[in-house]
Amino acid sequence: MSQRTATRKPAEPIVRRKLSDEVFDRLERMITSGELKPGDEMPSERVLMERFGVGRPAIREAMQSLANMGLVAISHGERAKVLQLTAQSLFHQVDLTAKIFLSQSSDSLENLKNARIFFERGMAREAASRATPQDIADLRKIIETQRESLGDAEAFIAADMQFHTRIAEISGNPIFVGVSEAMLAWLKAYHTDMLIWTGKEKFTLVEHEEIVDRLEAKDGSGAEASMLKHLERSRALYTR
């Protein structure tokens, strides 16, 4: 066997890409480079066809891929527009995938519950050091909304999610808010026992009030402990 044969490298075939993939890459660069900014309209299909030398199907497929990633919004009869990316929109892109992931294993749901508790304990401690009188007033107003929603499971759950997200907002970090909203949305699909509650809502109201009292007192350890007690009790409500 010759030296040349012995050292021959394995084949590395070049994969031919679809035209729509090439178009997608170019459109994405137009957005990430700043050539197109949030709020701008995308060029018309005809302009893009002429610019890239491709047909209408490739343009439409690439544009749909951009929309699926949350980079543009497509409206019937109007030009697509570039969207402003936020932490919330970023996490929304994986909503469906997350729900499928959680549905496939009870361990995944338990891991999410644990992650939420770890996250919200930190948020409570952080909020205790940063909360303003307006933050406290907003949280107490949400609790009142919850109290008025007794007997209406969907409204009560919505207010519950708002309460926890509002605590994350006190951090001033939009990524924390996005994480909070995402985890709550993923868990909501498994909040089935809430629909047949018989008085458990009142425990939630009392616990929320305790949390806000600790935040108002600037008691980080107390706020964290109250949040932990609240979430440990309510974690059983999320079932597959």
Side-chain angles (χ1 to χ4, degrees), residues 24-89:
F24 172 86
D25 286 346
R26 296 192 187 190
L27 293 177
E28 183 186 36
R29 283 197 294 271
M30 291 169 67
I31 295 173
T32 57
S33 69
E35 180 180 346
L36 291 170
K37 296 179 172 57
D40 287 350
E41 289 186 338
M42 296 292 290
S44 68
E45 289 182 351
R46 183 171 297 280
V47 167
L48 292 174
M49 288 164 61
E50 293 175 355
R51 178 170 175 172
F52 300 143
V54 299
R56 195 180 304 275
I59 298 296
R60 290 186 172 178
E61 189 172 343
M63 200 71 74
Q64 187 60 56
S65 294
L66 290 173
N68 292 341
M69 293 182 65
L71 295 176
V72 303
I74 299 176
S75 299
H76 182 68
E78 298 180 5
R79 297 252 288 276
K81 288 187 178 180
V82 180
L83 293 175
Q84 175 69 58
L85 289 179
T86 65
Q88 286 90 337
S89 65

Side-chain angles (χ1 to χ4, degrees), residues 11-225:
E12 298 180 6
I14 295 175
V15 179
R16 179 173 295 179
R17 303 185 72 199
K18 297 192 323 184
L19 281 177
S20 60
D21 291 338
E22 294 290 346
V23 173
F24 172 86
D25 286 346
R26 296 192 187 190
L27 293 177
E28 183 186 36
R29 283 197 294 271
M30 291 169 67
I31 295 173
T32 57
S33 69
E35 180 180 346
L36 291 170
K37 296 179 172 57
D40 287 350
E41 289 186 338
M42 296 292 290
S44 68
E45 289 182 351
R46 183 171 297 280
V47 167
L48 292 174
M49 288 164 61
E50 293 175 355
R51 178 170 175 172
F52 300 143
V54 299
R56 195 180 304 275
I59 298 296
R60 290 186 172 178
E61 189 172 343
M63 200 71 74
Q64 187 60 56
S65 294
L66 290 173
N68 292 341
M69 293 182 65
L71 295 176
V72 303
I74 299 176
S75 299
H76 182 68
E78 298 180 5
R79 297 252 288 276
K81 288 187 178 180
V82 180
L83 293 175
Q84 175 69 58
L85 289 179
T86 65
Q88 286 90 337
S89 65
L90 175 65
F91 287 111
H92 282 322
Q93 296 307 308
V94 298
D95 277 350
L96 178 58
T97 305
K99 289 174 182 177
I100 294 173
F101 170 71
L102 292 172
S103 70
Q104 293 176 338
S105 167
S106 59
D107 287 343
S108 298
L109 183 57
E110 286 302 313
N111 289 337
L112 179 58
K113 293 179 191 178
N114 290 334
R116 183 202 175 192
I117 291 173
F118 183 86
F119 173 79
E120 294 220 27
R121 289 175 64 179
M123 287 296 93
R125 181 176 285 275
E126 177 74 6
S129 67
R130 300 173 63 99
T132 66
Q134 185 59 58
D135 293 326
I136 299 301
D138 288 348
L139 289 169
R140 293 199 186 281
K141 185 176 180 180
I142 294 171
I143 293 174
E144 285 307 307
T145 299
Q146 278 193 292
R147 185 170 284 107
E148 293 168 1
S149 301
L150 287 170
D152 184 340
E154 285 297 322
F156 193 89
I157 293 172
D160 185 86
M161 295 170 68
Q162 185 184 7
F163 177 83
H164 289 277
T165 300
R166 184 66 181 84
I167 290 176
E169 288 176 355
I170 296 174
S171 70
N173 188 325
I175 294 180
F176 286 159
V177 178
V179 170
S180 176
E181 289 184 347
M183 287 197 293
L184 288 166
W186 300 338
L187 283 169
K188 183 177 183 293
Y190 300 93
H191 213 332
T192 52
D193 285 4
M194 173 74 87
L195 301 178
I196 55 173
W197 267 22
T198 54
K200 294 179 182 178
E201 304 100 319
K202 295 180 181 178
F203 285 109
T204 293
L205 293 172
V206 170
E207 290 164 355
H208 280 186
E209 288 170 346
E210 289 178 358
I211 292 168
V212 176
D213 287 343
R214 294 301 91 215
L215 296 179
E216 187 172 29
K218 303 293 185 182
D219 178 2
S221 296
E224 180 180 354

